Amino acid sequence: MSVTGPSRCASCNEPLDAGDNFCGRCGADLVASAAASEGQPTIALTGASRRPQGYGPPPRPAYAPSAGGAGAVPPPAPPAYGGPGAAPSYGEAPVCGEAPAYGAAPAPAAPPAQGIPCAPPAPSGPVGPPPPDPQTRLPYADVSAPPAPGHPSAAGDAIPAPPAADAGPVEPPQGPPAGPTADPRVAGYEAVADAAAHASESTRTAESAEAMEASEAAIGAAEAPAPAAPPEPQPATPARGTRICAACRSGAVDTDGYCEHCGHAQPRERDHMEHALAGIAAVSDRGHRHHRNEDFFALTTTPLPDGTPAVVAVVCDGVSSATRPDEASQAASEAAGEALRASLQRGTHPQQAMYDAIMTASSAVDALAGDPATVPDEYRQQNAPACTLVGSVVGGGLLTVGWVGDSRAYWIPNDRTAPPARLTEDDSWAAQMVANNLMTEAEALADERAHAITGWLGADAYEVEPHTASFKPDGPGVVVVCTDGLWNYAESAEQMAAVLPFDAPTRPLDAARTLVTHALDGGGHDNVTVALVPFPAPSVRA
């Protein structure tokens, strides 16, 4: 009885299930293979091994021919390759019995039966390579393995079978040797891989070219000079007489006190003032602590009746605790300066003219308290406007000074070997303590009440008592007229002389700036005002 195993694929010997039309391993068409194998006899499994159909020599028949050939039945015709009637595969010998396995010693051939043709004996040498194992999977990249005989190459040409052993010497192929052929099962993938590799290489080349162009463009942009910024629009030249900005020095100042070009708030005119006239000069500054400048000064010159010139300098310091101290100092200095000019022209003695000028200034400050615009608020206590005053007149060979309050005048000779001197005495609490021998000067100045003034110009003053004095210096020099904003940083005459530049007689404005700068550098806690009045050498000693 014939024994059949489970259904397997004819190409790769993969077990099959009922109803399969294609092999799940190699993809062979099972329907076409079944149609081609119809009519083949069932081969009994007489050996230990069973070859798949279409590979190797045909199996040995289940019968054995008799020695005499009587009653022998000829074996069926060998099936075709992959089907009925196929010739033996390459390297196989058509023998009556089963051919030995590849690599095994050939068994002795049985004597041929009478009337049964047998194949010629197998060659003594090796019969060629075995057929490829269909269960072996070749990697996609292994294209160097030779294709199986009879299978088409990658180019579509069939590889001819090797010549038989008795065919004679094999002629070498003519022409250049052909390259390695691809396995037919992976030949299609090679073209696809080549196309993909070519496309990837083209993409990389394009990307590299784009990156190179971008890099060159970036380098060119970095090396190229940056475009010049458009010039800022310059402000139009202000009309003649227009106030110019103190910050940018080019824009005009509007009515609100701001620059039309840079927008800076402009300092008030009184924050810093400078003036020079006929050899005399004055500088005033707001300082670092006060929000406004409450000092003011006045400079004037006039001829005496004998034709000799006379110069006048008046400096006033507004009392900060009073109402409108800045207006009080301006009113007092302007009134005193005008009164001195008129009196000196009439030939009044400088010392009497100074006294009259101080009383005129006091009346001008008192008038501010009666201004209807300054009526005190019933809910606020306001003091009347008040200020201090110090003035100097140089003319007729005399040096005259007058004062009320704590503003001072110093005499600094041009010959610095001569001693300097302070020409005024303060109307202050500290000065009264020293004058009455109640305290030393150092002790009085160390007291917190030292700068409390006991005399001033204003409607609420107890009684105005102007102080005047006249001097005839022995030599030329400079009179320093200043407020306490300066002498707080150079109190003694020696200290003031050390700060005053040597060229003050010839360059009074620069020297006044130097003194103000000294006070500002020292702290600038108060308004700073100074006027310098040079004294000429007398033609005849008095």
Side-chain angles (χ1 to χ4, degrees):
M1 164 178 81
S2 300
V3 180
T4 59
S7 176
R8 294 179 178 272
C9 176
S11 299
C12 63
N13 201 25
E14 177 74 11
L16 305 174
D17 295 333
D20 288 346
N21 294 331
F22 296 92
C23 176
R25 184 175 183 181
C26 66
D29 191 351
L30 303 178
V31 178
S33 299
S37 61
E38 290 181 359
Q40 282 191 344
T42 302
I43 302 174
L45 299 177
T46 56
S49 63
R50 176 176 175 272
R51 295 177 178 84
Q53 199 171 37
Y55 289 88
R60 186 170 53 187
Y63 62 90
S66 61
V73 180
Y81 184 81
S89 300
Y90 169 72
E92 298 176 351
V95 295
C96 298
E98 183 180 18
Y102 178 77
Q114 185 176 0
I116 300 177
C118 291
S124 59
V127 297
D133 188 357
Q135 297 185 2
T136 302
R137 287 188 175 273
L138 298 177
Y140 293 146
D142 188 9
V143 298
S144 60
H151 288 266
S153 64
D157 300 330
I159 303 301
D166 55 353
V170 180
E171 295 293 336
Q174 300 296 328
T181 56
D183 188 272
R185 288 173 291 181
V186 298
Y189 295 102
E190 182 179 4
V192 175
D194 290 345
H198 179 70
S200 177
E201 183 67 23
S202 301
T203 302
R204 287 195 299 268
T205 303
E207 292 177 353
S208 300
E210 293 177 359
M212 182 68 69
E213 294 177 359
S215 176
E216 292 177 355
I219 294 175
E223 294 178 352
E232 296 184 359
Q234 297 297 329
T237 302
R240 180 181 297 274
T242 304
R243 183 183 174 190
I244 304 301
C245 174
C248 66
R249 298 291 182 180
S250 58
V253 179
D254 58 15
T255 56
D256 295 332
Y258 292 89
C259 177
E260 296 178 350
H261 174 56
C262 65
H264 278 79
Q266 301 303 300
R268 290 182 286 266
E269 293 183 4
R270 290 188 57 171
D271 285 352
H272 186 86
M273 299 179 294
E274 297 182 358
H275 187 55
L277 175 66
I280 60 177
V283 176
S284 180
D285 193 88
R286 177 173 58 90
H288 299 320
R289 297 294 184 89
H290 286 255
H291 67 283
R292 62 184 175 184
N293 188 3
E294 299 171 355
D295 292 354
F296 207 81
F297 61 85
L299 303 179
T300 184
T301 179
T302 182
L304 297 176
D306 59 359
T308 59
V311 293
V312 176
V314 179
V315 173
C316 295
D317 182 5
V319 178
S320 298
S321 59
T323 304
R324 299 154 60 197
D326 53 334
E327 296 182 17
S329 62
Q330 181 176 359
S333 59
E334 290 178 348
E338 183 63 25
L340 281 170
R341 187 183 64 82
S343 297
L344 292 173
Q345 283 181 349
R346 294 193 301 263
T348 306
H349 191 276
Q351 190 171 354
Q352 182 61 42
M354 179 64 69
Y355 182 91
D356 296 340
I358 294 176
M359 296 305 295
T360 303
S362 178
S363 300
V365 175
D366 292 346
L368 295 177
D371 189 349
T374 62
V375 175
D377 189 349
E378 58 179 338
Y379 299 104
R380 294 177 56 191
Q381 181 179 1
Q382 296 183 346
N383 297 327
C387 67
T388 65
L389 181 147
V390 61
S392 174
V393 177
V394 174
L398 293 177
L399 167 59
T400 304
V401 295
W403 73 95
V404 173
D406 60 351
S407 295
R408 294 181 179 180
Y410 294 85
W411 166 252
I412 310 298
N414 291 348
D415 182 8
R416 296 300 173 92
T417 60
R422 195 176 83 182
L423 305 179
T424 59
E425 295 291 337
D426 298 340
D427 289 330
S428 65
W429 180 88
Q432 288 185 352
M433 292 298 103
V434 175
N436 296 325
N437 295 323
L438 299 177
M439 288 184 180
T440 64
E441 185 176 3
E443 292 174 346
L445 293 176
D447 195 281
E448 62 181 4
R449 298 167 292 180
H451 290 279
I453 58 177
T454 58
W456 63 88
L457 301 180
D460 56 356
Y462 300 111
E463 184 179 356
V464 178
E465 295 181 359
H467 308 284
T468 60
S470 294
F471 305 91
K472 288 185 176 181
D474 294 338
V478 177
V479 181
V480 179
V481 184
C482 64
T483 62
D484 60 348
L486 173 61
W487 64 256
N488 281 332
Y489 301 97
E491 185 174 355
S492 66
E494 291 75 15
Q495 292 174 336
M496 188 66 70
V499 178
L500 184 67
F502 285 90
D503 60 350
T506 57
R507 303 178 62 183
L509 181 59
D510 291 340
R513 291 170 178 168
T514 301
L515 294 178
V516 171
T517 302
H518 172 75
L520 296 178
D521 292 344
H525 296 281
D526 200 356
N527 305 143
V528 185
T529 303
V530 59
L532 299 182
V533 183
F535 183 83
S539 59
V540 178
R541 290 182 67 92

